[in-house]
Amino acid sequence: MPNPVSRHSKSRRDKRKANWKAYIPANFAKCSNPDCGQPVLPHRVCKACGNYKGNSVIKVKE
Ligand SMILES: [Zn+2]
């Protein structure tokens, strides 16, 4: 079994983990429109159907 020659310090490990945040996508909520259900960013209009809080807010080109 290959073993690491030297253990990485806590500082070095945590520096690596600090950069993970950038790669984790933002929290997605489901679109409030039951016919759509697309993942949308919270507090933002759905790009797929133009719904926000159950109301059609913008027209979306089809
Ligand atoms: Zn939608």
Side-chain angles (χ1 to χ4, degrees):
M1 281 278 281
N3 275 321
V5 176
S6 61
R7 194 189 137 104
H8 286 188
S9 67
K10 284 174 195 169
S11 164
R12 205 168 151 185
R13 176 201 65 197
D14 293 348
K15 272 181 198 162
R16 191 197 319 134
K17 288 201 171 181
N19 290 318
W20 286 5
K21 280 182 193 171
Y23 302 108
I24 297 167
N27 274 348
F28 280 97
K30 266 193 177 180
C31 177
S32 56
N33 183 356
D35 299 330
C36 176
Q38 289 284 313
V40 283
L41 288 169
H43 307 288
R44 245 142 285 201
V45 176
C46 175
K47 280 183 182 174
C49 66
N51 263 40
Y52 183 70
K53 280 190 174 179
N55 304 312
S56 182
V57 180
I58 53 168
K59 283 182 184 175
V60 179
K61 288 178 188 173
E62 287 180 7

